[in-house]
Amino acid sequence: MTKVLLIDDDVELVNLIREYLVQEGFDVECAHDGETGIIYAETLSPSLIVLDVMMPKLNGIEVLRRIRASSNVPVLMLTAKGDDEHRIVGLELGADDYVPKPCTPRELIARIRAILRRIVPVTEQTQAQINVGPLALWPERRLVEWEGQPINLTSTEFNLLEVLVRQAGRVVSKSDLSTLGLGRPLSRFDRTIDVHLSSIRQKLGTLADGRQCIQTVYRMGYQLIKE
């Protein structure tokens, strides 16, 4: 069974979400404070973590920071509606996606399944190594190298980079990146794609002429340069 760790101080909400997840076949563990959540994240090896931002003592941003220091487990953030600042900081720290509260358990489960689907390879196409200039990507093993050096990406960063690699040399719209990389339609004013790609650029090296390998094409999307 796929193990999901819920970290949220709202006991009533956690119990409701847990009930729905169990009904959908998930194995669920719950933590109601950040410190316990960090311990569970390290010891229980969950497949995915649902993490609330607004918690007393140790908030979700700090919990995410500590989790990312040692793990790339997918993290889905729960943020207050309109809380753009925490949302962007969470994405910059390596959150895979977010869901604004209040949300329905059905929406949350849909987001969880979307993330998990993109972690597990489902076709033979994913097995081959793909090379674009100094960049090498192994979809099945979910590994990335730049000039022979391993690059540490979160699951969502890997998904987005894989989309660009498979379309190398062509412009990919933000809408397509959201659908293929995040598993959901692009929302209006949503900066999730931009934040993730900014992080990927920082982790990858530059080309021989000093350019970033991922270019922004104004009003069209993003392009992975194919040399």
Side-chain angles (χ1 to χ4, degrees):
M1 296 175 67
T2 301
K3 183 176 292 183
V4 174
L5 173 60
L6 303 178
I7 308 176
D8 193 325
D9 65 318
D10 187 334
V11 177
E12 184 177 351
L13 176 63
V14 166
N15 288 338
L16 176 64
I17 294 173
R18 180 184 182 280
E19 182 178 341
Y20 272 83
L21 286 170
V22 169
Q23 289 176 357
E24 292 293 321
F26 292 95
D27 179 15
V28 183
E29 297 288 346
C30 304
H32 300 298
D33 63 83
E35 292 181 351
T36 303
I38 292 171
I39 294 171
Y40 282 8
E42 293 175 346
T43 59
L44 299 179
S45 300
S47 300
L48 182 141
I49 296 174
V50 178
L51 174 63
D52 185 32
V53 170
M54 300 304 294
M55 292 187 293
K57 296 183 181 179
L58 201 62
N59 68 29
I61 296 298
E62 182 58 30
V63 172
L64 176 63
R65 192 190 311 275
R66 297 191 191 184
I67 290 173
R68 278 291 172 260
S70 60
S71 173
N72 275 331
V73 58
V75 176
L76 181 63
M77 301 288 289
L78 297 177
T79 65
K81 189 174 183 179
D83 187 1
D84 293 335
E85 181 179 352
H86 281 143
R87 187 175 301 163
I88 291 174
V89 170
L91 292 170
E92 290 175 339
L93 288 174
D96 291 88
D97 204 354
Y98 66 89
V99 175
K101 296 171 70 175
C103 65
T104 65
R106 187 173 181 178
E107 177 187 5
L108 185 61
I109 289 172
R111 292 288 186 90
I112 289 172
R113 290 195 184 282
I115 293 174
L116 293 175
R117 276 198 304 270
R118 280 152 183 78
I119 297 174
V120 181
V122 295
T123 67
E124 294 183 0
Q125 182 185 16
T126 64
Q127 297 179 11
Q129 175 183 345
I130 307 173
N131 293 287
V132 181
L135 179 66
L137 182 143
W138 290 265
E140 183 180 10
R141 296 162 60 197
R142 298 186 70 79
L143 295 177
V144 176
E145 290 184 356
W146 181 272
E147 294 184 340
Q149 298 300 311
I151 304 297
N152 188 26
L153 300 179
T154 67
S155 60
T156 295
E157 289 171 352
F158 184 94
N159 295 338
L160 292 170
L161 181 60
E162 183 181 355
V163 174
L164 291 173
V165 165
R166 293 190 181 280
Q167 301 293 324
R170 288 179 278 187
V171 179
V172 183
S173 69
K174 288 177 62 175
S175 177
D176 286 345
L177 281 167
S178 185
T179 300
L180 298 172
L182 301 182
R184 61 175 174 84
L186 183 68
S187 302
R188 191 178 184 187
F189 306 123
D190 190 346
R191 292 186 56 196
T192 305
I193 298 294
D194 306 303
V195 176
H196 283 310
L197 288 180
S198 175
S199 176
I200 295 171
R201 281 171 169 154
Q202 292 176 21
K203 294 178 180 182
L204 298 180
T206 57
L207 299 172
D209 58 8
R211 290 181 298 168
Q212 296 282 349
C213 65
I214 299 176
Q215 295 289 308
T216 303
V217 181
Y218 184 61
R219 289 187 175 179
M220 294 182 66
Y222 290 91
Q223 178 185 28
L224 180 69
I225 295 177
K226 186 176 183 179
E227 293 187 312

